[in-house]
Amino acid sequence: QVQMVESGGGLVQAGESLTLSCAASGNLFVVYTAAWFRQAPGKQREFVADITSGGSANYADSVKGRFTISRDNAKNTMSLQMNSLKPDDTAAYYCAAGPPPITVIYDYQYWGRGTQVTVSS
């Protein structure tokens, strides 16, 4: 069992930066693929970025070049550095983890409750 807790959300202006953190419990996180998703009101949850246990990362096209995902397996943590934020980035952000291989969203077995990011124009 892995519990995930996000932190770091808030209200920022367009162009500013914000860093989200995710703390995971349990000793299996180190071998899991971890990811960030987001969901805006009235929209489906969408993929933002993921990172394998070895540190290989993938990004959605909408955030590529602006967001950076990282993890510290020794501390069971994951982060999302978000730069040049836009109003379209406004959403609840969720961290997730699951055993590889990850092919669909449902492969992520463990989810946090989310943290709100609001970007004003």
Side-chain angles (χ1 to χ4, degrees):
Q1 188 77 9
V2 177
Q3 293 183 329
M4 319 279 290
V5 179
E6 304 94 340
S7 62
L11 171 64
V12 297
Q13 293 188 333
E16 294 184 340
S17 298
L18 201 61
T19 299
L20 304 183
S21 298
C22 177
S25 67
N27 55 11
L28 292 178
F29 177 78
V30 66
V31 299
Y32 282 177
T33 296
W36 289 96
F37 287 79
R38 66 186 182 187
Q39 188 168 17
K43 295 187 177 181
Q44 289 188 329
R45 190 167 297 190
E46 66 173 3
F47 169 80
V48 175
D50 66 15
I51 186 166
T52 65
S53 60
S56 296
N58 293 293
Y59 299 91
D61 288 343
S62 59
V63 307
K64 201 171 293 184
R66 299 189 298 123
F67 290 11
T68 302
I69 190 172
S70 61
R71 66 189 295 167
D72 186 334
N73 289 334
K75 297 181 179 179
N76 265 16
T77 59
M78 176 176 65
S79 297
L80 185 69
Q81 173 68 41
M82 305 185 293
N83 298 328
S84 303
L85 282 162
K86 306 174 181 179
D88 283 349
D89 295 318
T90 296
Y93 283 72
Y94 300 86
C95 62
I102 301 291
T103 56
V104 294
I105 188 172
Y106 306 107
D107 289 335
Y108 288 103
Q109 298 178 5
Y110 304 102
W111 291 81
R113 293 188 174 185
T115 185
Q116 179 66 34
V117 173
T118 302
V119 184
S120 63
S121 58

